[in-house]
Amino acid sequence: MPSRRLVLLAATTAVTLLATSACGLGSDDSGSGGGKGRTVVRIAYQDIPNADLVVKDRRLLEQALPDAEVKWVKFSSGGDVNTAVIAGAVDLGLAGSSPVTKGLSAPLNIPYKVLWIHDLIGANEALVARGGITEVRQLAGKKVATPFGSTAHYSLLAALKAAGVDPAQVQTVDLQPQDVQAAWTRGDIDAAYVWTPVLTELEKTGKVLITSQQLAEQGKPTADLGVVTDSFAAAHPEVVTAWVKAQDQAVKLAKGDPAAAAESIGRQLDIPAAQAKAELGQLVLLTAAEQAGPEYLGKPGAPGRLAANLRDAAEFLKTQQKIDAVPDASVFAKGLAVEELARANG
């Protein structure tokens, strides 16, 4: 396990170009691209067909915050988002439950909180194989690609464990989604655990062995989460409230008029609206009121079940030597932004 110093060094190196364009001198400094005293909101997003892309496409946050400068910065995985947060390059962002669990654990100990559940991951994330492989147990001795530190990586390890396959028997390679597709096309890998839209392309010539929805039913749920840094949440509560309300508006649109939401998602992903609608339908979206329930984020004084789910994930990641130690349950309870969610719901 690398030291925190090495992690920070890697993070700083990885986001040098990003910092030049998105970080600047701070969230309220003219050096970050806005006028003097103007709030700059730097948001990390990913190509995942959920309501976050609706917020971006329809400029819901920009409309809610006309005096702020909103910067959307694209990332390939939650691990990359963690890296950017450590380097001080983003304020809010989307990361899977596995990267967030790692972020809240040693050695990272990232000072951020879970503000939103973008989606509960279902059949949109899966393990797909080819070459006559029809069962997970047949992956022993094979080359399998997945973005390390992602929810897909966590699910891959869970799938191997459930099938009685020692991860050491599998040649697991760290590839971002777009690189997974390229490696698949070249025939460099036998299988991959990845999410849509890349998953959709792999399914055309491969066979799905297990989905994240099936693993959730087996007690290994995963989700895409929205995080906010502690410093930004404290300095800009009005922005955080506006962000939650924008996300809630987009979720309600996706639930009430999925075709309209799919048009926005399709534009952002450069895919047909019909495909975007199908991929959107593979996710479970929750409104702000639903997220305040006991099964999810919860309320002030009563953190929701998500905290326990994250700790369960930490216990699993520790067995795989992906984190140094399993944090106390209070770390994950404090890691839920229930005060901020309650304010937005109020």
Side-chain angles (χ1 to χ4, degrees):
M1 177 66 67
S3 68
R4 179 170 174 81
R5 180 178 180 182
L6 289 178
V7 170
L8 290 172
L9 178 61
T12 303
T13 302
V15 298
T16 298
L17 293 178
L18 170 63
T20 300
S21 61
C23 183
L25 300 176
S27 295
D28 292 292
D29 194 286
S30 59
S32 60
K36 186 175 181 180
R38 189 181 186 194
T39 299
V40 178
V41 188
R42 304 163 304 173
I43 304 172
Y45 77 101
Q46 297 185 53
D47 279 347
I48 296 174
N50 58 29
D52 195 36
L53 292 184
V54 177
V55 174
K56 180 178 184 294
D57 185 73
R58 293 179 173 246
R59 297 179 60 82
L60 299 183
L61 190 59
E62 288 86 344
Q63 294 172 31
L65 300 169
D67 296 326
E69 181 173 355
V70 180
K71 294 185 175 183
W72 292 84
V73 188
K74 184 177 176 179
F75 291 87
S76 297
S77 70
D80 289 345
V81 174
N82 275 347
T83 296
V85 174
I86 291 171
V90 296
D91 308 303
L92 296 118
L94 183 155
S97 49
S98 182
V100 171
T101 297
K102 292 185 69 174
L104 292 172
S105 306
L108 298 183
N109 297 315
I110 299 175
Y112 62 23
K113 293 180 287 188
V114 179
L115 179 63
W116 189 251
I117 300 173
H118 283 292
D119 58 75
L120 303 178
I121 298 174
N124 66 301
E125 195 167 291
L127 175 59
V128 60
R130 61 182 176 188
I133 299 173
T134 59
E135 297 179 0
V136 177
R137 62 183 179 84
Q138 293 176 293
L139 292 177
K142 303 298 184 180
K143 183 181 290 187
V144 184
T146 195
F148 281 13
S150 66
T151 52
H153 188 199
Y154 166 81
S155 295
L156 171 62
L157 295 175
L160 293 175
K161 181 179 181 181
V165 179
D166 184 349
Q169 295 179 308
V170 178
Q171 186 180 350
T172 309
V173 292
D174 181 13
L175 294 177
Q176 296 301 323
Q178 66 273 18
D179 298 320
V180 168
Q181 186 171 345
W184 181 276
T185 300
R186 292 192 303 267
D188 293 346
I189 56 177
D190 302 297
Y193 209 123
V194 71
W195 50 86
T196 54
V198 171
L199 173 62
T200 303
E201 295 302 312
L202 271 56
E203 287 177 327
K204 294 176 181 178
T205 54
K207 176 180 175 57
V208 172
L209 305 183
I210 193 168
T211 69
S212 293
Q213 180 176 339
Q214 291 171 307
L215 285 169
E217 293 168 354
Q218 297 174 17
K220 298 296 181 183
T222 51
D224 289 312
L225 306 175
V227 296
V228 60
T229 64
D230 292 348
S231 58
F232 190 85
H236 303 288
E238 75 291 346
V239 173
V240 172
T241 296
W243 185 89
V244 171
K245 289 186 174 182
Q247 293 291 340
D248 189 47
Q249 181 182 348
V251 166
K252 289 176 179 176
L253 175 66
K255 284 173 169 281
D257 191 351
E263 289 181 4
S264 289
I265 293 170
R267 278 193 295 268
Q268 290 297 311
L269 296 179
D270 194 24
I271 60 176
Q275 180 182 338
K277 185 178 179 181
E279 294 179 0
L280 174 64
Q282 295 176 323
L283 299 168
V284 177
L285 306 183
L286 303 167
T287 65
E290 290 171 329
Q291 296 199 28
E295 288 299 309
Y296 304 110
L297 283 167
K299 299 179 180 180
R305 174 67 187 168
L306 178 61
N309 289 342
L310 293 176
R311 192 171 191 277
D312 288 345
E315 290 178 345
F316 181 81
L317 292 174
K318 178 62 174 66
T319 66
Q320 300 299 317
Q321 299 182 328
K322 304 303 179 183
I323 59 176
D324 287 355
V326 177
D328 186 78
S330 63
V331 171
F332 296 108
K334 293 177 182 177
L336 303 186
V338 291
E339 297 284 350
E340 289 81 356
L341 178 61
R343 187 174 63 237
N345 270 325

